[in-house]
Amino acid sequence: MTPVESVVFWVASALAIAGGLGVVSSRGAIYSALSLILTLSQLAVLFLLLNAQFIAAAQILIYAGAVMVLFLFVITLLGVQEYEFMGRHLPGQRAFSMIFAALLLLSVVYFVGQTPHKLAAVHGNFNAQLASGNVAAFGKQLFTTFVFPFEATTLLLIVAMIGAVSLGRRQRPNAEGSLLEQRRDTLLPLAPQTTTDRADDGIPRAATAGAEARREE
Amino acid sequence: MTPSADHFLVVSAILFTLGTVGVLTRRDPLVVFMSIELMLNSVNLTFVTFSHYLSSPDGQIFVFIIMTVAAAEVVVGLALIVSIFQTRQRIDVDELDEMRG
């Protein structure tokens, strides 16, 4: 890597980790979302350093664009809620999660140190096409070897879209009441309504019974 | 210091650990959800790192599919959170225990 790329790596990594800290430690959900956008955009920079141009573009478009806009939309829709940072928990939850996280980090870093250092020496034909980027090789591989997983993702997207629509349109509360109150309004008057219906229905039911009897004749 | 594959992998490990801490300690379901996204992205960084240093496009294709799955997951998860929010004024992941989970 050139010295400029090294500097870009360190700056982008520091910003990505700072954004990750912001996601975990921010008080409001909207600050977490903005920190996550910082992390995702810096990860796109790291992808560019790793010669993954298509993935970097998709990262910006899908994650920093679509997904985070959806998150911010839901946060503003639901309104700002204040949560105490690591307040009221199960006993020992904070200590256990910190210990667990430290163990996880230490073990992953240890095994990264154990990996054989032959990685940097490997240069196959994929990175040989660096002059124009390796998007063409990526696309060729995606539409030949991996065409079945690619088609399966389209099916997954359709299922997710149907699921989101059916989850979104099922409940429509009125302006004043929440869903529970609305349900109570529709469920509780059920008993008296049925009795009055039965009383009203007496004559028509006899009429239809008579009609059916006539039809049978 | 010129970065090697190990540096990228350590950055990914740190981001994954931060996401784990977020899932374990936060109470806002939206922040828990964003922490899961952070973990997914750190794994994406690992995939792209290995794809680069092993000189194979397979890792990038895996990342592409992970992105699609994550987008679908976000859509369904946020729809669930919105519909839960319609029945309660305040969502807390520890209080959502109707299913005795």
Side-chain angles (χ1 to χ4, degrees), chain B residues 77-89:
Chain B
L78 286 180
L80 278 175
I81 288 179
V82 169
S83 70
I84 291 172
F85 192 85
Q86 285 173 347
T87 63
R88 302 158 169 265
Q89 288 308 309

Side-chain angles (χ1 to χ4, degrees), chain A residues 24 26 83 88-89 93, chain B residues 24-27 52-53 91:
Chain A
V24 175
S26 291
Y83 286 86
R88 220 159 44 84
H89 272 108
Q93 181 176 359
Chain B
L24 289 177
T25 59
R26 298 303 301 260
R27 310 170 60 78
H52 178 67
Y53 283 100
I91 324 177

Side-chain angles (χ1 to χ4, degrees), chain A residues 39-152:
Chain A
T39 303
L40 297 180
S41 54
Q42 297 309 310
L43 278 178
V45 174
L46 292 182
F47 291 161
L48 277 182
L49 281 182
L50 290 168
N51 279 311
Q53 289 90 4
F54 178 78
I55 296 297
Q59 173 88 3
I60 294 288
L61 283 175
I62 298 177
Y63 266 118
V67 169
M68 291 318 293
V69 165
L70 202 59
F71 263 110
L72 287 172
F73 184 73
V74 169
I75 290 170
T76 50
L77 182 75
L78 297 187
V80 176
Q81 296 181 313
E82 286 287 328
Y83 286 86
E84 294 176 65
F85 174 52
M86 304 210 302
R88 220 159 44 84
H89 272 108
L90 305 174
Q93 181 176 359
R94 191 188 317 180
F96 274 120
S97 48
M98 287 301 169
I99 291 170
F100 175 71
L103 277 178
L104 180 70
L105 183 62
L106 284 179
S107 55
V108 172
V109 170
Y110 173 74
F111 282 111
V112 164
Q114 294 291 102
T115 49
H117 288 268
K118 291 176 288 187
L119 280 181
V122 181
H123 280 295
N125 51 2
F126 185 53
N127 280 339
Q129 313 161 350
L130 288 186
S132 61
N134 48 28
V135 180
F138 173 80
K140 196 174 287 177
Q141 195 77 354
L142 181 63
F143 286 108
T144 54
T145 313
F146 294 96
V147 68
F148 180 70
F150 178 71
E151 295 294 337

Side-chain angles (χ1 to χ4, degrees), chain B residues 3 16 20 23 37 40 44-45 54 57 62 66-67 71 77-78 80 82 91 93 101:
Chain B
F16 192 88
T20 314
V23 169
E37 293 301 312
L40 280 171
N44 282 355
L45 181 59
L54 295 174
F62 217 112
I66 289 176
M67 279 183 178
L78 286 180
L80 278 175
V82 169
I91 324 177
V93 281

Side-chain angles (χ1 to χ4, degrees), chain A residues 43 47 50 55 59 63, chain B residues 8-9 11-17 20 35-51 59-60 62-63 66-67:
Chain A
L43 278 178
F47 291 161
L50 290 168
I55 296 297
Q59 173 88 3
Y63 266 118
Chain B
F8 285 98
L9 294 179
V11 169
S12 164
I14 292 171
L15 288 177
F16 192 88
T17 309
T20 314
S35 302
I36 293 173
E37 293 301 312
L38 189 62
M39 292 161 81
L40 280 171
N41 270 279
S42 74
V43 174
N44 282 355
L45 181 59
T46 308
F47 268 117
V48 174
T49 304
F50 279 117
S51 165
Q60 291 191 27
F62 217 112
V63 169
I66 289 176
M67 279 183 178

